[in-house]
Amino acid sequence: APKVPLTPRTASYYHKTYAILKVLRRAVSIASVEASAAGLVDLAMALYVVGESLHFVNLILKIRRMNVTKTIEEKRSETMKKIVDIFVPMHEKVSKIGHGISERMKSHGKKARVKLARFFEIILKDDQFFGYLEKRDWQNFLLIVRDATITAKIMNRDSFDQLYQSGLFVFN
């Protein structure tokens, strides 16, 4: 497979990562020598292992950098685009919901508290809610949350669908 030249942004990430690893390795090495000189053999050995682990990470990054192909770079870019497409709208929706709830609590006071109380009442009455949570059955867990949110009239179904899809992606 043909090698791909690194973009300036990617090259910058590698450069910064190598610099951080180099500084950490030096610091750990100095600490290991000083611990050894102070007679703290166990600490010196632990620091030596940490230093070797940092060296190992450095080697893995160098090998990964050498093995970047056009296909891998395209797949990585595609994956990052999908992640951005999912999380940016999800973040916006969650922020919008949070701000909306906050504003409703301020302006509608009693109505908002009633809706929120209704939401928690619906959730807590559902016998399967905590079971799904314990089993980490996120799909059914989110279905219960979705139904409670819609029933409590906190959000309509259309508004919840994108948030629900984002939640499925995160929890699965």
Side-chain angles (χ1 to χ4, degrees):
K3 298 292 181 218
V4 176
L6 296 175
T7 64
R9 185 176 183 179
T10 304
S12 172
Y13 289 147
Y14 277 111
H15 180 71
K16 288 175 185 174
T17 303
Y18 292 141
I20 290 169
L21 284 171
K22 187 176 182 180
V23 169
L24 287 173
R25 286 175 56 203
R26 280 187 187 161
V28 168
S29 177
I30 291 168
S32 177
V33 168
E34 292 199 11
S36 220
L40 303 169
V41 180
D42 291 339
L43 179 60
M45 184 60 73
L47 290 170
Y48 177 76
V49 170
V50 169
E52 288 300 311
S53 299
L54 290 171
H55 179 67
F56 181 68
V57 168
N58 194 33
L59 289 175
I60 289 172
L61 288 174
K62 283 183 180 179
I63 291 169
R64 185 195 176 285
R65 183 177 180 179
M66 290 187 307
N67 290 330
V68 172
T69 63
K70 187 171 179 97
T71 306
I72 291 171
E73 191 63 27
E74 287 171 357
K75 292 290 184 187
R76 186 192 64 78
S77 295
E78 205 175 286
T79 302
M80 288 305 293
K81 185 179 180 330
K82 286 179 182 176
I83 288 171
V84 167
D85 288 346
I86 289 170
F87 283 109
V88 168
M90 184 176 82
H91 177 266
E92 291 169 356
K93 285 281 188 183
V94 170
S95 295
K96 193 174 181 180
I97 291 167
H99 291 300
I101 289 172
S102 174
E103 290 301 315
R104 286 183 191 138
M105 292 296 277
K106 289 177 188 174
S107 64
H108 296 262
K110 188 175 180 177
K111 285 183 184 178
R113 284 192 295 273
V114 167
K115 286 181 181 182
L116 203 54
R118 190 178 313 140
F119 170 79
F120 284 112
E121 183 181 331
I122 293 166
I123 292 245
L124 294 174
K125 280 185 178 178
D126 193 322
D127 296 333
Q128 297 173 331
F129 177 76
F130 290 109
Y132 291 143
L133 184 61
E134 287 174 3
K135 293 177 191 172
R136 293 190 171 112
D137 184 353
W138 303 120
Q139 189 168 4
N140 287 321
F141 174 82
L142 288 173
L143 284 172
I144 291 172
V145 171
R146 180 191 66 187
D147 293 342
T149 304
I150 293 168
T151 304
K153 296 181 181 174
I154 293 174
M155 294 177 79
N156 63 24
R157 188 176 185 92
D158 294 333
S159 297
F160 199 90
D161 282 341
Q162 186 176 9
L163 184 63
Y164 175 70
Q165 291 301 321
S166 300
L168 284 178
F169 177 79
V170 169
F171 291 113
N172 284 333

